[in-house]
Amino acid sequence: MGKIYLIRHGQASFGTDDYDVLSPIGIRQAEIVGAHLAAQGVSLDRCISGNLRRQQHTANSAMAELSKAGDAAPHLQIDPAFNEFDADAVIRALLPDILPEEPQALEVLRNAKQQRSEFQRLFAKLIGRWISGEYDKPELQSWTGFVAQVEQGLNRLLDSAHDKESIAVFTSGGTITALLHLITGIRPDKAFELNWQIVNSSLSCLRFRGKQVSLASFNSNVHLMLERTPELITYR
């Protein structure tokens, strides 16, 4: 059977003007996951990412570590189907409807870095509305539309893959969540409960034969734990 390694990007720049940039911790996480793959003797046939900078930077940093170890590092291919959903667009579209019951929401969002737990509570509430399909907006990509986008990317990958290939896909937490939903049939709300636990640079593994795909492992972050540096375990 073939393997698809789903690798979440390293820590991005939460609470800054440009989230789509790896933090110094995020760069280190990317290097560690690449060194871990090399140490485990993982030989990759292909490497793919979405077109977001944090995804590509993670992929390139990890592949550089493979090269340092003397392993072949495949050229990075880009498929926007593996992009993250637009969280900012979800917030902009759905926030006005909850302001009457959450009057402090704007203040929390303006100071998200200082109010992480309250931001997470509000964000989870908005995501719950988004995935329900009851609050769809014409200007906002729906949850079902996002899942369809990810499914198209997975199908393109499987159509071009050989059954014994090992493929790395550098992507994001929401994309991994959509894949969990597609592959296991888990409900979207339960899938997002798992989403909040996905560690930056964690490894999940899919096994495939033809179009048959199964989940082999989820959210492994032993490569970070072995560093014995707690600040390397991040979720956003």
Side-chain angles (χ1 to χ4, degrees):
M1 297 183 76
K3 292 182 179 179
I4 299 172
Y5 296 95
L6 301 174
I7 304 170
R8 189 187 176 197
H9 62 77
Q11 184 189 57
S13 298
F14 179 69
T16 70
D17 291 337
D18 191 354
Y19 177 75
D20 196 21
V21 176
L22 291 186
S23 71
I25 287 177
I27 295 170
R28 183 68 187 124
Q29 290 166 332
E31 293 168 345
I32 291 169
V33 75
H36 175 72
L37 290 170
Q40 296 302 306
V42 174
S43 179
L44 293 173
D45 298 293
R46 279 193 285 166
C47 175
I48 297 166
S49 86
N51 65 14
L52 300 177
R53 281 179 292 163
R54 60 189 183 271
Q55 297 171 339
Q56 294 183 61
H57 193 173
T58 303
N60 286 324
S61 295
M63 292 303 100
E65 293 299 313
L66 281 179
S67 294
K68 282 183 190 177
D71 298 322
H75 174 73
L76 180 61
Q77 302 171 344
I78 304 298
D79 187 339
F82 296 107
N83 284 0
E84 180 63 286
F85 66 88
D86 190 340
D88 287 342
V90 171
I91 292 171
R92 286 194 305 270
L94 301 184
L95 181 64
D97 293 341
I98 70 165
L99 284 176
E101 60 195 77
E102 299 282 359
Q104 81 291 4
L106 289 175
E107 179 63 23
V108 170
L109 293 173
R110 291 191 189 104
N111 298 281
K113 196 170 184 179
Q114 290 73 40
Q115 300 189 57
R116 288 175 179 264
S117 61
E118 188 62 8
F119 170 84
Q120 177 59 33
R121 184 188 68 80
L122 286 171
F123 186 55
K125 184 172 186 174
L126 292 169
I127 290 299
R129 287 182 164 231
W130 181 55
I131 63 179
S132 75
E134 297 176 15
Y135 304 91
D136 286 353
K137 308 283 185 178
E139 72 277 14
L140 178 67
Q141 183 186 38
S142 67
W143 161 250
T144 56
F146 176 65
V147 170
Q149 166 196 305
V150 175
E151 185 172 29
Q152 289 167 6
L154 177 62
N155 286 335
R156 274 195 296 274
L157 188 57
L158 296 174
D159 286 341
S160 60
H162 303 295
D163 281 349
K164 294 186 178 180
E165 273 193 308
S166 290
I167 304 166
V169 177
F170 290 84
T171 185
S172 297
T175 317
I176 295 169
T177 302
L179 287 165
L180 287 175
H181 168 64
L182 285 165
I183 291 163
T184 70
I186 188 173
R187 286 186 352 223
D189 59 331
K190 294 299 182 182
F192 267 95
E193 288 179 12
L194 295 175
N195 173 287
W196 311 132
Q197 307 306 316
I198 301 176
V199 173
N200 290 117
S201 86
S202 65
L203 283 158
S204 299
C205 183
L206 308 178
R207 290 185 179 271
F208 69 91
R209 179 179 289 116
K211 285 294 187 73
Q212 294 183 329
V213 186
S214 59
L215 179 66
S217 65
F218 172 69
N219 195 33
S220 172
N221 53 88
V222 66
H223 52 290
L224 300 175
M225 296 174 66
L226 288 171
E227 297 292 311
R228 300 181 183 274
T229 306
E231 54 265 34
L232 287 172
I233 308 295
T234 62
Y235 299 89
R236 175 170 280 114

